[in-house]
């Protein structure tokens, strides 16, 4: 009977370990998080823009954290965006959609997954948007669509370039066709931005997939990505099962997607402000170095023309 006692003893031990596991809420409210080398203080990670010092992993961040990094703390204004009626389809799976929304709002302190802000970089007024993955996986539904369109409209009204930091799994199934319609609506909004000759810069963050890559996120004049971000339409397993071939290790990661030509630049978080600032200065012809060079070139050509005549 000894073996039975041993099995029971092991069972008790497993129970103890399982009991000791922290809940989701405990993990979120903890001062610690984990990365390659085990526990890391969230404060330390925050000081390094939420990038791991050891492995360089760019941890996921919320919209306010993104704007804090991009514009600088207290250096931007969050714009109000319309919130359509919740739960238009009265959707319910294992839980009510309205309960899921309530929980996401409490967790993120946001009304919907998208936030729009305005601020300045390099003396250029910018309208910027971001998605928070913690808000129902960054999925896009009617409120998110409205927020993106409001951002684009603000950019057009103020003659601002539009910078967007997408992430998320795609359209939110709880709003089925209404969520799908946001793909068309946001695409049309981006087209309006282009008709007004305003630069539109997209910076992919981990993970961006589904309807988000299939609509507004892939339409940037310049497509930037943070290192090692997942950028995909369908998931790896679905593709592997369809093509029945082994896929490379870094499949659908920023570096691979850049090789395929869907991403122009991979930029570390600490360099994003400088890089986007420079790009916008060039696109808006506001770079003093460029304008000086242009003047010199035109002066030289005038001298040449005079000499020739
Ligand atoms: Zn790490």
């Amino acid at each position: 009977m000894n073996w039975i006692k041993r099995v029971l003893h092991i069972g008790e031990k497993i129970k103890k370990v399982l009991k000791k596991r922290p809940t989701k809420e405990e993990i979120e409210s903890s001062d610690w998080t984990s990365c390659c080398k085990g526990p890391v203080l969230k404060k330390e990670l925050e000081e390094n823009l939420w990038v791991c010092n050891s492995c360089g992993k760019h941890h996921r961040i919320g919209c306010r954290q993104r704007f804090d990094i991009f514009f600088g703390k207290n250096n931007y204004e969050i714009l109000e965006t319309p919130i359509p009626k919740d739960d238009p389809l009265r959707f319910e799976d294992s839980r009510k959609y309205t309960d899921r929304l309530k929980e996401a709002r409490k967790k993120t302190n946001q009304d919907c997954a998208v936030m729009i802000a305005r601020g300045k970089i390099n003396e250029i007024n910018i309208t910027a948007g971001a998605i928070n993955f913690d808000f129902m996986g960054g999925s896009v539904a009617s409120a998110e669509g409205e927020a993106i369109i409001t951002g684009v409209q603000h950019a057009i009204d103020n003659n601002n370039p539009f910078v967007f930091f997408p992430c998320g799994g795609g359209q939110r199934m709880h709003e089925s066709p209404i969520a799908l319609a946001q793909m068309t609506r946001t695409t049309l909004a981006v087209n309006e931005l282009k008709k007004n000759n305003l630069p539109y810069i997209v910076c992919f963050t981990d993970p961006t997939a589904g309807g988000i890559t299939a609509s507004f996120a892939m339409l940037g004049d310049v497509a930037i990505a943070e290192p090692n971000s997942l950028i995909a339409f369908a998931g790896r397993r679905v593709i592997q099962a369809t093509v029945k071939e082994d896929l490379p290790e870094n499949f659908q990661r920023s570096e691979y997607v850049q090789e395929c030509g869907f991403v122009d630049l991979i930029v570390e978080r600490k360099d994003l402000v400088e890089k986007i600032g420079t790009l916008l200065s060039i696109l808006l012809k506001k770079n003093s170095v460029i304008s000086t060079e242009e003047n010199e070139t035109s002066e030289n050509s005038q001298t040449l023309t005079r000499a020739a005549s």
Side-chain angles (χ1 to χ4, degrees):
M1 292 298 277
N2 263 351
W3 66 274
I4 295 181
K5 274 185 187 169
R6 264 207 305 275
V7 169
L8 285 174
H9 185 64
I10 291 168
E12 284 303 312
K13 268 192 172 174
I14 291 172
K15 259 189 192 173
K16 267 188 190 171
V17 171
L18 288 177
K19 262 186 196 168
K20 272 184 189 168
R21 284 177 66 180
T23 61
K24 258 187 183 180
E25 289 75 26
E26 279 173 337
I27 294 172
E28 271 157 26
S29 60
S30 158
D31 291 338
W32 297 83
T33 185
S34 62
C35 197
C36 54
K37 288 194 173 168
V40 198
L41 262 175
K42 281 183 186 169
K43 211 177 166 201
E44 268 176 29
L45 206 57
E46 186 180 6
E47 278 165 14
N48 202 33
L49 310 178
W50 301 93
V51 176
C52 175
N53 255 331
S54 311
C55 67
K57 179 180 171 177
H58 284 50
H59 286 252
R60 289 173 194 165
I61 53 174
C63 298
R64 287 185 185 86
Q65 290 162 319
R66 175 64 67 185
F67 297 143
D68 280 351
I69 295 171
F70 190 56
F71 290 122
K73 266 189 184 170
N74 306 319
N75 225 1
Y76 58 89
E77 184 195 341
I78 302 272
L79 303 178
E80 227 176 85
T81 58
I83 298 293
K85 193 176 175 285
D86 283 347
D87 196 10
L89 305 178
R90 294 183 191 162
F91 193 93
E92 192 173 340
D93 45 42
S94 57
R95 286 171 63 204
K96 280 184 179 173
Y97 174 37
T98 45
D99 290 344
R100 290 184 189 276
L101 276 175
K102 223 183 270 174
E103 188 187 294
R105 284 175 181 150
K106 195 177 159 200
K107 185 177 171 188
T108 57
N109 193 20
Q110 289 184 210
D111 290 328
C112 71
V114 175
M115 266 183 133
I116 304 291
R118 68 166 179 196
K120 258 186 187 182
I121 288 180
N122 278 9
E123 292 305 304
I124 301 168
N125 286 312
I126 295 170
T127 309
I131 303 185
N132 189 343
F133 192 81
D134 277 344
F135 196 106
M136 298 192 75
S139 52
V140 170
S142 52
E144 287 71 16
E146 288 296 331
I148 295 164
I149 293 166
T150 306
V152 170
Q153 192 60 52
H154 180 269
I156 293 171
D157 292 345
N158 294 278
N159 221 19
N160 286 355
F162 191 53
V163 179
F164 203 89
F165 297 89
C167 72
Q171 308 313 109
R172 189 176 304 154
M173 63 170 187
H174 309 74
E175 292 191 26
S176 309
I178 300 167
L180 284 177
Q182 307 313 316
M183 291 172 68
T184 323
R185 296 183 76 219
T186 51
T187 302
L188 290 171
V190 170
N191 284 351
E192 287 304 309
L193 204 60
K194 299 198 172 185
K195 272 186 209 163
N196 284 274
N197 293 323
L198 292 168
Y200 171 44
I201 294 183
V202 173
C203 175
F204 289 103
T205 65
D206 183 63
T208 310
I212 299 176
T213 34
S215 60
F216 65 94
M218 271 294 176
L219 300 172
D221 299 314
V222 183
I224 301 173
E226 285 190 338
N228 203 35
S229 301
L230 179 85
I231 305 163
F233 178 62
R236 183 190 178 100
R237 267 182 301 172
V238 174
I239 295 175
Q240 193 140 12
T242 311
V243 298
K244 297 189 170 53
E245 272 178 36
D246 283 337
L247 300 170
E249 185 77 11
N250 66 344
F251 185 65
Q252 295 181 326
R253 292 283 161 187
S254 307
E255 297 69 14
Y256 182 89
V257 180
Q258 187 185 28
E259 273 173 37
C260 300
F262 286 98
V263 160
D264 301 307
L265 289 168
I266 295 173
V267 182
E268 286 184 30
R269 200 169 280 166
K270 64 177 169 58
D271 301 326
L272 273 174
V273 179
E274 193 200 328
K275 206 54 127 191
I276 293 178
T278 309
L279 279 170
L280 288 177
S281 299
I282 294 168
L283 291 171
L284 296 165
K285 296 183 180 162
K286 281 192 175 175
N287 189 314
S288 56
V289 178
I290 295 168
S291 39
T292 325
E293 276 174 9
E294 263 178 10
N295 287 342
E296 275 174 12
T297 323
S298 58
E299 271 170 25
N300 286 347
S301 59
Q302 275 173 10
T303 323
L304 282 174
T305 326
R306 273 201 297 272
S309 62

